Amino acid sequence: MITTLVMLLQAAQPTPAPTPPPPPPCASERHAEFDLWVGEWEVYATSNPETKVADSKIERLYNGCAVRENWMPLRGAGGGSLNSLRDDGRWHQRWTGSSGETVDFVGGLDAAGQMVMTGWWANFGGPGQHRFVRMTYTLNEDGSVRQLGEVSADHGATFTTGYDLIYRPKADAAD
C-alpha cells in the first residue's frame, strides 16, 4: 500500500520543464554581412601594391556573434577591432591600438553591398586634430578586400583619403 501511495504521489508531481536550448548562434544573413573581411591577409597600400605593409587576421568568434581583427603592421604600432551587429540593427566596431587609443565606428552595408563604418578618431591628424573617419570595405572579384579610409576635418562635408589598403588572402593561411 505504501508503494502504491508513493507511485501515486510521484505520478501527481508535475514533469519538470525541459532545459531551454542554448541561445541560437548568430547565424542570420545579417550576421554574415562582414564575412567578406574574415580570413588571414597580407595587406598592401593600394598606391604601392607590391610592398606589403601588414598582416591581418580577421576571424568570426563567439558563436558567430562577433568579428575580431588582429592588425599586425610590419612597422609601427599594431592593434585590433571587435565588431558586432547590435540590437539597433547596425554594426559597431571598437578599434583599440597598442598605445591604448580607442575609436568607435558604426555602420552597415550600403546599397552596393559595401560595409561602411563611420566614427570620430581623436588625434587622427595629430594632437588635438580629431577627424571624422569613414571606412569602406569592398570585396573585389579576385577575393581581395579593399579598405578605404576617408578623413574629414569638416564633420563629413568633404573627405580626403587617409589610407587605402588591399587585403590579399595569405598564401599559407590553409597550412
Side-chain angles (χ1 to χ4, degrees), residues 31 82 84-94 104:
H31 285 93
L82 189 61
S84 62
L85 180 64
R86 297 216 189 133
D87 290 341
D88 65 2
R90 299 182 303 165
W91 280 88
H92 292 255
Q93 179 184 102
R94 159 82 37 116
D104 293 310

Side-chain angles (χ1 to χ4, degrees), residues 30 33-34 37 65-68 81-95 103-108 115-118 135 137:
R30 293 287 325 275
E33 289 174 343
F34 224 163
W37 197 33
C65 296
V67 174
R68 182 177 64 188
S81 66
L82 189 61
N83 305 267
S84 62
L85 180 64
R86 297 216 189 133
D87 290 341
D88 65 2
R90 299 182 303 165
W91 280 88
H92 292 255
Q93 179 184 102
R94 159 82 37 116
W95 162 265
V103 185
D104 293 310
F105 294 94
V106 178
M115 180 63 71
V116 180
M117 309 278 284
T118 58
M135 300 183 298
Y137 301 82

Side-chain angles (χ1 to χ4, degrees), residues 126-146:
Q129 298 180 37
H130 313 311
R131 298 293 185 257
F132 186 65
V133 176
R134 176 174 60 199
M135 300 183 298
T136 304
Y137 301 82
T138 306
L139 179 61
N140 297 319
E141 288 184 20
D142 65 359
S144 66
V145 173
R146 179 183 185 198

Side-chain angles (χ1 to χ4, degrees), residues 105 117-126 128-135 148-163:
F105 294 94
M117 309 278 284
T118 58
W120 280 101
W121 194 316
N123 304 313
F124 183 92
Q129 298 180 37
H130 313 311
R131 298 293 185 257
F132 186 65
V133 176
R134 176 174 60 199
M135 300 183 298
L148 175 62
E150 298 171 288
V151 182
S152 176
D154 56 11
H155 304 282
T158 61
F159 285 91
T160 59
T161 299
Y163 55 91

Side-chain angles (χ1 to χ4, degrees), residues 24-46:
C26 298
S28 73
E29 285 184 35
R30 293 287 325 275
H31 285 93
E33 289 174 343
F34 224 163
D35 284 358
L36 66 99
W37 197 33
V38 172
E40 291 191 47
W41 307 96
E42 293 181 331
V43 186
Y44 300 81
T46 302

Side-chain angles (χ1 to χ4, degrees), residues 3-81:
T3 304
T4 305
L5 183 58
V6 169
M7 289 173 50
L8 287 172
L9 287 173
Q10 287 175 344
Q13 294 294 322
T15 305
T19 304
C26 298
S28 73
E29 285 184 35
R30 293 287 325 275
H31 285 93
E33 289 174 343
F34 224 163
D35 284 358
L36 66 99
W37 197 33
V38 172
E40 291 191 47
W41 307 96
E42 293 181 331
V43 186
Y44 300 81
T46 302
S47 63
N48 189 0
E50 299 308 314
T51 303
K52 185 169 130 176
V53 298
D55 289 301
S56 191
K57 181 176 183 177
I58 293 95
E59 53 192 334
R60 218 166 159 197
L61 297 173
Y62 316 127
N63 212 19
C65 296
V67 174
R68 182 177 64 188
E69 167 196 22
N70 186 16
W71 172 255
M72 301 162 284
L74 301 181
R75 282 183 252 138
S81 66

